[in-house]
Amino acid sequence: MKTIKLEIDGQQVETAGGTTILEAARKAGSDIPTVCYDKRLPPYGACRLCMVEIDKGGEKRLVASCAYEAEDGLVVRTETPRIVKIRKMILELLLAVSATGPLEALAKRYGLKESRFQGDQPKCLLCGLCVRYCAEIKKNNVTCFIGRGIGKEVVFQSDLSHSLCPVCRECIPLCPSGTLYSLYLKGYSGSPEPGSNKGL
Amino acid sequence: MSKLSSAAELKRFRQDVLSRRDPNKPCLSICLGTGCQACGGEKVYQAFAGEIRKQGLEAKVDIRRTGCHGFCERGPLVVIFPREICYLKVTPADVPEVVAKTLVEGKIVDRLLYTGEDGKKIVHEGDIPFYKHQSRIILGANRLVDPTRIEDYIALGGYSALARALFVMTPEEVLDEVKKSGLRGRGGAGFPTGVKWETTRNAPGEPKYVIVNADEGDPGAYMNRSVLEGNPHSVIEGLIIGAYAIGARQGFIYVRQEYPLAVANLTVALEQAREMGLLGANILGSEFGFDVAIHRGAGAFVSGESSALITALEGRVGEPQINYIRPAISGLWGKPTNMNNVETWANVPAIINKSAAWFSGIGTRGSKGTKIFSLVGKVNNTGLVEVPMGATLRQVIFDIGGGVPGGKKFKAVQTGGPSGGCLPAASLDLPVDFEELERAGSMMGSGGMIVMDEDTCMVDTARYFINFLSEESCGKCVPCREGLKQMLLIYNNICAGKGREGDIELLREIAEVMAEASLCALGTTAANPPLSTIKYFRNEYEAHIREKRCPAGVCKDLIRYYIVPEKCQACLLCAKSCPAGAISGDKGLVHVIDQSKCTKCGACLEACPSRFGAVTKISGKPAPAPVPAGTRVQKRK
Ligand SMILES: Cc1cc2nc3c(=O)[nH]c(=O)nc-3n(C[C@H](O)[C@H](O)[C@H](O)COP(=O)(O)O)c2cc1C
Ligand code: SF4
Ligand code: SF4
Ligand code: SF4
Ligand code: FES
Ligand code: FES
């Protein structure tokens, strides 16, 4: 496969064709934060924490590094004031939904003390990791999204979860918001009351 | 109908249709567009058909069922050719008189005419100010064709652009012509159409696809619907020409489920085009083959976004996708795909027929041709308006739209649909094109135009759009979903009198990040309503936050209704009108509103006769204490 040469944070980086900026940057030691990324799954592009700045057509463009493929000669900056501003706001928005370990660590990294926003905690971040993992890797399709906009939710389809979840539970450690873990602690073992679709 | 197997046969067919038509024979063009249908157009049509039969005039008069003429406000519309007499708000009861007087005697029925500002009646459609200031390249044909009769379209020269493209031009020449015309996408982003076509044409991979985006999820916008319902062949012809230039053999029209008449008329049009050899293998006897399928989409605003629409066509949930490879290169099923808006496609036949030079002669430096706007809200003449790019907001809203009704003052116009910006009176002389609108903090979008008068609260307006977007976003990416959620909370607080210092800045901070970081254009443009209203109407935000006052008197939590004792004539009218039973009073007693019971519906204000004007709306301060019982005896003037 073709080798791509690009510049990330001032460093010359070589990477295989088809790799994303995120993958190339991580290999080169640039620590780009992500929430909705999992290397086993196709990029989803939902959390927007991985945004970086590239020079394109004489302009500085912002792109999600988890989905943008490395190109020859591309100049990438992974942490500029513009990016920090975006990450801080996204983290502040996310902290209102869930202030769990990984998010608090990121907040600390970006010097964010507390969120100005309110919300009931912890709530699902809708990162889609559980839904995509269950569908694309386990091929179980137990979890799915319903609704849209601010009413969007993840639900377990109870008929399936009843039989499939107790022998899997692989989504629980993937969940960055901790909602799956707290459900698990509450005894939710994939067998809720018959017929009820459990929203997270 | 038999298959046409050459350009010459198309020409002959057209001449044949024309030779059977007498240009002097009266023809009633009756609008059966959605607007006119809603106010009884079908009954008017039936009444005319019945009356003409009764009078034995079938051979002497033609009747044509058409799509929207544009002036929906005054529907049902009837235009009588060849004199182009335009009758407005026609009812079945008017029909016998119109037939007897106009069709038989050639006289005008005055009462059905448009009345100008000076009180003069206007007979001809083209002289009505609403139409006079328009350039209707696309919409103008609607009143001339019955969408279910392909011969009507062909009589106007329809499909001659296709014949020209197929037999006189190479695909490259067609592409070049569209590029030179300067046509830009009418779906919102204004991307140069020819450039997009070229990318798809040159992209490796077969087959290639072309798509008509007829999702039109923007509430209040209905120009796509009107073109599809009224003149579907113009879109189909544009699409075939595009497919020829791009090298596509399959096309899709993605129409929202809520447009049954558009689907019906398109279905008929596609069938007729196939029957006549204008679709399918060997179009008009050429080597070129192409066909089209209709896809009915469950209408959500966000499913009109191109990657969402493509996902929906593939049979998955229509949600914006993260993909930095453009659909032009990898679109439907990973194949090169060119998607354009209905109005974009409908411009193509005219460009091929009349040349790129003609088209680029209309409009501004960066935006060529015309644009259709749906003019709604607080404006006298609502309807569909087609003007050259660069017409000013003032021309559209005042010359064509007739200004704000009821002698009220113009306050703002929102352009570009729910995620467009609100522009103030100072922007009225802005020439409307892609660049100028964006520079002013708004956008072209699909061409929605909502006029607002002095009684509109701009904070409440921004809240309304943020609420709409928070429900209509797909909810996938964080800045858009969580940003909208938090903005909505802030707006609800401000409108409820709970706004805090710093809220304006916080709204701006969220909006700026949304504009930069959202996954699709819904999120990036959702910043427009807050940013533009903060920019132009900051004082209204400050009044809400600092003085707990709604200057327009709209936000219910910030207003009180109060009866001025000195003005009250104790007529009982307000008390009778109050659904909450909040008004006490009696004959000879000054009426008083119990603030704890009042639901702020405003019925009392409406009910109080304007010559008394006793009921008032107060904002920013508490209502004065009620008059003590002893002094409530009303003094008559
Ligand atoms: C939220 C959203 C909704 C959209 N809705 C429509 C629509 O209803 N019709 C449309 O033609 N384009 C719509 N678009 C724009 C399309 O993504 C795309 O740019 C357009 O169809 C391309 O055609 P054009 O180049 O002819 O404008 C929408 C975009 C967004 C972000
Ligand atoms: S439950 Fe957890 S893993 Fe699943 S979408 Fe929500 S935050 Fe992501
Ligand atoms: S910007 Fe909004 S509509 Fe677009 S992908 Fe993100 S959440 Fe969905
Ligand atoms: S505003 Fe409505 S509820 Fe209040 S007093 Fe007037 S009529 Fe009654
Ligand atoms: S990692 Fe979430 S958008 Fe890239
Ligand atoms: S529907 Fe009749 S004029 Fe628009």
Side-chain angles (χ1 to χ4, degrees):
Chain A
M1 189 172 260
K2 196 172 167 272
T3 306
I4 305 273
K5 291 187 184 138
L6 71 163
E7 185 190 306
I8 301 178
D9 293 333
Q11 259 192 87
Q12 297 303 316
V13 177
E14 286 192 10
T15 183
T19 39
T20 59
I21 294 179
L22 178 69
E23 287 157 348
R26 285 201 168 161
K27 257 202 304 196
S30 290
D31 185 13
I32 301 175
T34 61
V35 162
C36 70
Y37 172 76
D38 184 309
K39 59 178 177 300
R40 293 164 292 182
L41 294 166
Y44 187 57
C47 74
R48 319 305 287 169
L49 276 173
C50 72
M51 294 200 96
V52 297
E53 203 175 273
I54 61 170
D55 290 339
K56 188 90 186 176
E59 263 182 82
K60 290 186 175 132
R61 248 182 86 188
L62 289 171
V63 296
S65 62
C66 67
Y68 200 98
E69 283 185 15
E71 292 165 2
D72 258 326
L74 197 68
V75 175
V76 181
R77 285 171 297 275
T78 69
E79 195 148 313
T80 62
R82 191 173 169 203
I83 293 169
V84 170
K85 180 180 154 202
I86 289 172
R87 290 196 186 143
K88 274 179 130 162
M89 177 53 79
I90 291 176
L91 285 167
E92 201 174 343
L93 288 167
L94 285 179
L95 283 177
V97 182
S98 173
T100 48
L103 288 169
E104 287 200 317
L106 280 174
K108 211 166 150 201
R109 170 173 160 192
Y110 286 98
L112 200 66
K113 294 214 177 53
E114 57 181 342
S115 175
R116 285 167 288 178
F117 306 123
Q118 293 141 24
D120 327 318
Q121 304 229 11
K123 269 264 167 68
C124 163
L125 305 173
L126 299 159
C127 71
L129 283 169
C130 57
V131 177
R132 290 179 289 139
Y133 185 83
C134 190
E136 285 165 42
I137 294 183
K138 299 302 290 184
K139 313 264 184 231
N140 278 346
N141 291 302
V142 172
T143 50
C144 64
F145 287 119
I146 58 162
R148 63 169 180 263
I150 58 176
K152 191 170 184 141
E153 281 184 329
V154 168
V155 295
F156 280 74
Q157 305 184 64
S158 53
D159 44 342
L160 294 174
S161 66
H162 193 80
S163 56
L164 295 170
C165 296
V167 294
C168 174
R169 295 191 181 138
E170 287 168 34
C171 60
I172 295 172
L174 295 179
C175 172
S177 68
T179 40
L180 292 187
Y181 187 62
S182 49
L183 273 181
Y184 171 72
L185 288 183
K186 277 186 210 145
Y188 175 75
S189 60
S191 45
E193 305 84 76
S196 81
N197 273 5
K198 186 140 182 75
L200 299 181
Chain B
M1 268 177 274
S2 61
K3 261 198 165 57
L4 305 170
S5 54
S6 68
E9 280 185 24
L10 172 69
K11 209 164 173 183
R12 220 170 305 130
F13 179 85
R14 173 166 184 239
Q15 275 157 359
D16 216 45
V17 172
L18 289 177
S19 71
R20 275 183 277 119
R21 291 188 175 179
D22 171 2
N24 293 319
K25 183 175 173 189
C27 174
L28 290 163
S29 169
I30 301 175
C31 178
L32 289 155
T34 308
C36 289
Q37 290 260 21
C39 43
E42 185 64 42
K43 287 208 181 93
V44 172
Y45 173 84
Q46 295 303 343
F48 270 114
E51 185 68 19
I52 285 171
R53 218 176 306 121
K54 208 167 101 192
Q55 306 289 336
L57 293 169
E58 286 114 314
K60 293 197 182 124
V61 180
D62 286 330
I63 313 188
R64 185 187 296 134
R65 299 173 64 98
T66 77
C68 173
H69 295 189
F71 203 6
C72 314
E73 165 82 21
R74 305 292 174 94
L77 299 187
V78 177
V79 178
I80 303 172
F81 289 94
R83 291 171 65 192
E84 301 197 22
I85 301 163
C86 183
Y87 288 149
L88 310 166
K89 295 201 174 186
V90 181
T91 63
D94 298 320
V95 167
E97 191 184 350
V98 171
V99 171
K101 265 202 167 157
T102 310
L103 292 178
V104 177
E105 295 172 37
K107 287 189 193 137
I108 305 288
V109 181
D110 266 8
R111 107 187 103 79
L112 298 173
L113 293 175
Y114 180 87
T115 312
E117 255 172 64
D118 51 3
K120 280 217 187 80
K121 300 280 180 186
I122 297 178
V123 177
H124 300 288
E125 186 194 48
D127 296 333
I128 298 174
F130 178 80
Y131 291 115
K132 198 161 99 186
H133 302 284
Q134 297 193 42
S135 310
R136 299 197 298 154
I137 298 178
I138 293 174
L139 283 179
N142 270 22
R143 64 215 171 102
L144 303 175
V145 300
D146 176 337
T148 61
R149 291 161 51 99
I150 192 170
E151 58 270 33
D152 279 9
Y153 183 65
I154 292 178
L156 289 185
Y159 289 106
S160 62
L162 174 64
R164 197 176 134 75
L166 290 177
F167 300 107
V168 185
M169 299 167 87
T170 62
E172 291 83 355
E173 283 169 341
V174 173
L175 196 93
D176 222 47
E177 200 67 12
V178 173
K179 253 168 91 177
K180 274 196 295 195
S181 73
L183 174 64
R184 293 171 63 176
R186 303 306 197 230
F191 196 82
T193 305
V195 175
K196 195 149 96 178
W197 288 16
E198 192 173 39
T199 313
T200 311
R201 178 181 167 79
N202 293 339
E206 289 291 336
K208 294 179 169 39
Y209 297 108
V210 285
I211 297 176
V212 180
N213 186 342
D215 190 55
E216 197 163 55
D218 169 350
Y222 59 108
M223 56 285 278
N224 289 178
R225 173 185 202 154
S226 290
V227 173
L228 288 176
E229 287 178 358
N231 195 4
H233 286 289
S234 64
V235 180
I236 298 169
E237 187 183 3
L239 185 65
I240 308 172
I241 295 171
Y244 171 74
I246 289 164
R249 300 182 54 89
Q250 177 66 49
F252 296 91
I253 305 179
Y254 185 102
V255 198
R256 60 172 35 227
Q257 192 82 31
E258 291 88 336
Y259 284 2
L261 185 59
V263 173
N265 288 358
L266 265 174
T267 308
V268 171
L270 289 174
E271 261 161 36
Q272 292 179 346
R274 258 179 230 123
E275 260 173 55
M276 299 203 64
L278 296 161
L279 268 181
N282 306 100
I283 293 176
L284 284 173
S286 72
E287 298 281 284
F288 179 65
F290 172 73
D291 214 330
V292 184
I294 298 176
H295 183 101
R296 304 170 74 166
F301 177 57
V302 73
S303 50
E305 193 275 338
S306 57
S307 66
L309 190 147
I310 286 174
T311 326
L313 268 180
E314 289 172 351
R316 296 182 284 144
V317 180
E319 203 174 72
Q321 304 295 314
I322 175 113
N323 193 353
Y324 287 107
I325 307 170
R326 270 175 287 143
I329 293 167
S330 171
L332 190 58
W333 296 298
K335 301 296 177 196
T337 303
N338 180 83
M339 180 189 302
N340 281 118
N341 172 258
V342 169
E343 193 181 331
T344 315
W345 288 115
N347 269 297
V348 172
I351 292 171
I352 297 302
N353 263 334
K354 298 186 182 162
S355 86
W358 163 80
F359 189 81
S360 62
I362 307 165
T364 61
R365 208 161 65 92
S367 307
K368 304 299 187 187
T370 60
K371 177 74 192 93
I372 308 176
F373 294 98
S374 61
L375 189 61
V376 298
K378 298 294 168 58
V379 59
N380 278 309
N381 305 330
T382 58
L384 290 181
V385 171
E386 184 178 351
V387 286
M389 293 276 190
T392 64
L393 286 169
R394 192 185 299 283
Q395 284 165 335
V396 174
I397 296 165
F398 289 88
D399 297 351
I400 297 172
V404 180
K408 300 263 175 167
K409 257 189 12 217
F410 169 89
K411 182 166 198 177
V413 57
Q414 203 233 16
T415 75
S419 46
C422 299
L423 303 175
S427 302
L428 275 173
D429 291 310
L430 192 85
V432 180
D433 72 2
F434 288 106
E435 281 75 23
E436 293 286 343
L437 284 177
E438 209 164 308
R439 208 170 299 141
S442 188
M443 60 182 200
M444 183 72 84
S446 54
M449 228 182 236
I450 305 173
V451 180
M452 298 172 230
D453 68 9
E454 57 188 285
D455 293 337
T456 315
C457 167
M458 298 314 292
V459 182
D460 180 63
T461 299
R463 171 174 76 152
Y464 172 83
F465 290 117
I466 291 302
N467 184 43
F468 174 87
L469 292 165
S470 74
E471 284 167 6
E472 289 298 317
S473 125
C474 79
K476 183 176 185 171
C477 75
V478 176
C480 176
R481 183 192 65 242
E482 299 301 326
L484 285 168
K485 190 199 281 174
Q486 296 297 342
M487 285 211 273
L488 184 59
L489 288 173
I490 299 172
Y491 272 114
N492 284 342
N493 277 340
I494 298 179
C495 293
K498 291 182 233 151
R500 290 174 302 198
E501 281 301 324
D503 276 353
I504 302 178
E505 271 52 53
L506 192 52
L507 283 171
R508 271 182 51 180
E509 261 185 71
I510 304 173
E512 279 164 12
V513 168
M514 275 173 72
E516 288 210 312
S518 295
L519 169 57
C520 85
L522 185 144
T524 56
T525 56
N528 286 327
L531 291 181
S532 63
T533 47
I534 291 173
K535 177 172 172 188
Y536 296 116
F537 302 97
R538 196 185 172 101
N539 54 347
E540 288 194 36
Y541 281 83
E542 286 167 352
H544 282 74
I545 294 171
R546 296 191 185 145
E547 303 162 41
K548 311 297 170 206
R549 177 170 68 87
C550 175
V554 171
C555 296
K556 281 198 178 171
D557 288 328
L558 300 183
I559 56 170
R560 311 268 174 279
Y561 287 91
Y562 173 67
I563 300 173
V564 181
E566 296 75 34
K567 290 188 177 170
C568 176
Q569 299 300 304
C571 68
L572 296 169
L573 282 173
C574 62
K576 277 189 202 139
S577 75
C578 176
I583 302 181
S584 64
D586 212 335
K587 274 193 193 134
L589 274 191
V590 165
H591 289 37
V592 171
I593 297 176
D594 179 345
Q595 296 297 339
S596 65
K597 282 191 190 157
C598 170
T599 58
K600 297 169 190 171
C601 68
C604 51
L605 185 71
E606 295 275 307
C608 184
S610 58
R611 61 182 191 282
F612 303 158
V615 181
T616 55
K617 215 168 12 176
I618 298 177
S619 188
K621 49 179 188 263
V627 265
T631 58
R632 271 179 72 183
V633 179
Q634 175 261 337
K635 307 178 209 66
R636 268 195 191 275
K637 279 190 200 139

